[in-house]
Amino acid sequence: MATGSTDIVACPDCDLLQRVPSVRAGETARCPRCGRALATGKTDPFDRTLALALAALVALVLANTEILMELSARGRESSTTILGGAREMWRQGERVSAVLVCFFTTAAPAAYIGCMIALLLAVRRPPAPRWAGTVLRWAETGNLWSMVEVMMLGILVSLVKIASLADVRPGIGFFAVGPLVFLLAAMSTSFDPREAWSRVRWENGYWPGSDR
Amino acid sequence: MTRPPPTAALAGFVSCGTCGLLCRPAEAGKPGECPRCGEPLAFRLPESIERTWAYVVAAAVCYLPANLLPVMTTTTIKATTESTILSGVIHFYTTGSWFLALIVLVASVIIPLGKLGALAYLLVTVMRRSTGRPLERARLFRMLKAIGRWSMLDVFVVMFVVALVRFEPFMSVVPGPGVPFFAAVVILTILAADAFDPRLIWDPAGKTGGTGG
C-alpha cells in the first residue's frame, strides 16, 4: 500500500531511517542522530497559511508601489520606491546588480507568495493535482532567494547613513515592509510541506518498493 | 564496534531530495525518478564535493575585489570620495554609530569569510572521511544555510543611498564596481551551501561500523 511508506523517512541531513511519530500542534519531531527537524505540528497548515499569504500579497504590493522614503535638503526633494532604487542603479550602469536586487526583493517574494496561494488552493481537497507538486517546488525556490528581511535592515542602515546629510522621512512603503517580513516568516512556519506533499497525486501511481 | 546506523543508503533506499518520499529503486545503480514528484533520485547529491568546491573557490576569488573596490562614489562640489565596505564600517564607527558599524562588519565581512572557511572545513573533513564531531559539523552546516543571505545587506544599502541622494550639482552618489562582486560572493556562497550534501558528514560513521571492512 502506497500510503504506508510516508511514515518511515530518511533524515534529509544524515540519511538515518526512522519512523516519524505523529506530532501535536507546537511539537517538533527531530532526527535522534543529527537533530534536524523532521516534522512540526501545525494547528492549521493550509487555511491559516492561505490567510497569511493573501495578507502578504497586499503588503508586497504596497511595499513595491508606495514611496519608501522621502528626503529633503537644500530646498530639494527626492523620494524612492524599491523598484525606483533598482532603476536608479540601472541608470548608473550597475545593470547586473539592479536586476539581482529586483529579483531578491520583488520577483522572488512575489513568486513565493503567488505559488503558495495557488498551492494552498489546490491542496484543499485531496488528491491535489500533479502540478501542485511543481508549484510547491517553485515556491521553495522563491523562498530561498527572497531577501525582504535583509532589505529591511538595508533600508534602516541607509536611513541612518543619509540622516546626517539631510532630512529623511519614511513613507507608506516603508511601513508595509515590516508587516511583509513578519507575514513571510509566519507563512513558512505555519505551512507543513509534508502534509502538502502527502496530498499530491503520484506521477506513476505506485510505490517502487511494493510488488507490482 | 556496534552495528552501523540504519541509513537509507545502506538499506538500499533513496529518499527524494524534493518531496522526501522514501523510495526503493528498481536497480541499485540507477535510482531513476521519484514516483510522486518525478524528480531524478540520487543516493547523494551528484558531484556534491566538486561542485561545492567550485562555488567556494569562485566566491573566494570575488571576495577580494568585493572588499577592495569601492562600492560607492560620493561627489560633492568640493571633492569626490570613494568608499569601500570597510571604510563604510569605519565611518559608522567614528561618527558614533558603533552598533551599525558592527552590523555591517558582521554581515558584509565576517559572515562571508566565515562561510567560506566553514565550507572549506566541511569539505576537507568530508574528503578525509573524518568521523569526528559529526553533530557539531551538521549544526555548523545548518547555521551556514540560515545566515548566508544577510551578507546582501550592503548591496541594498548602496541601492537606497544611490536612489535618494540626488542633488546634482551639489551632491550625488554613484554605485561602485565592488557592488556586483559583492552580490556574486553572496550568491556563490548560497549556491555552495545548496550544492553540499550534509549526508556526507555522516557517511563515514556507517562505513567504520563494519560493512566496509
Side-chain angles (χ1 to χ4, degrees), chain A residues 193-211:
Chain A
R194 262 170 60 84
E195 178 63 28
W197 275 117
S198 75
R199 295 179 175 210
V200 173
R201 197 188 298 148
W202 289 25
E203 284 285 295
N204 299 338
Y206 62 87
W207 191 41
S210 65
D211 295 316

Side-chain angles (χ1 to χ4, degrees), chain A residues 41-88:
Chain A
K42 315 284 186 188
T43 34
D44 183 3
F46 298 135
D47 284 350
R48 182 176 292 188
T49 313
L50 183 61
L52 290 166
L54 292 170
L57 183 67
V58 176
L60 182 77
V61 170
L62 282 178
N64 274 284
T65 51
E66 295 293 326
I67 285 170
L68 216 53
M69 327 184 241
E70 286 175 297
L71 182 145
S72 54
R74 305 174 202 225
R76 290 183 177 226
E77 300 262 334
S78 82
S79 67
T80 190
T81 58
I82 296 176
L83 291 176
R87 196 187 308 126
E88 189 61 24

Side-chain angles (χ1 to χ4, degrees), chain A residues 13-211:
Chain A
D13 275 11
C14 78
D15 213 29
L16 189 71
L17 278 179
Q18 53 202 293
R19 187 177 293 277
V20 177
S22 61
V23 284
R24 284 197 298 266
E27 289 178 337
T28 301
R30 291 186 181 279
C31 172
R33 184 158 75 154
C34 74
R36 149 101 184 211
L38 295 172
T40 313
K42 315 284 186 188
T43 34
D44 183 3
F46 298 135
D47 284 350
R48 182 176 292 188
T49 313
L50 183 61
L52 290 166
L54 292 170
L57 183 67
V58 176
L60 182 77
V61 170
L62 282 178
N64 274 284
T65 51
E66 295 293 326
I67 285 170
L68 216 53
M69 327 184 241
E70 286 175 297
L71 182 145
S72 54
R74 305 174 202 225
R76 290 183 177 226
E77 300 262 334
S78 82
S79 67
T80 190
T81 58
I82 296 176
L83 291 176
R87 196 187 308 126
E88 189 61 24
M89 260 183 133
W90 175 280
R91 212 176 62 84
Q92 304 278 5
E94 285 294 342
R95 303 204 161 174
V96 177
S97 310
V99 171
L100 288 175
V101 162
C102 282
F103 178 70
F104 297 138
T105 58
T106 307
Y112 175 56
I113 296 169
C115 289
M116 286 295 280
I117 291 174
L119 169 80
L120 291 163
L121 290 173
V123 296
R124 285 170 76 88
R125 40 187 178 78
R130 212 174 281 166
W131 55 260
T134 314
V135 168
L136 173 54
R137 209 151 48 224
W138 291 343
E140 281 167 358
T141 311
N143 198 20
L144 175 70
W145 294 106
S146 149
M147 298 192 190
V148 176
E149 75 279 31
V150 183
M151 180 189 71
M152 185 174 77
L153 190 62
I155 294 170
L156 291 173
V157 172
S158 47
L159 271 178
V160 175
K161 214 169 182 130
I162 308 170
S164 58
L165 308 170
D167 186 22
V168 193
R169 285 181 313 279
I172 295 172
F174 177 82
F175 294 108
V177 173
L180 178 61
V181 172
F182 168 79
L183 289 165
L184 287 172
M187 262 172 83
S188 46
T189 46
S190 71
F191 178 63
D192 186 355
R194 262 170 60 84
E195 178 63 28
W197 275 117
S198 75
R199 295 179 175 210
V200 173
R201 197 188 298 148
W202 289 25
E203 284 285 295
N204 299 338
Y206 62 87
W207 191 41
S210 65
D211 295 316

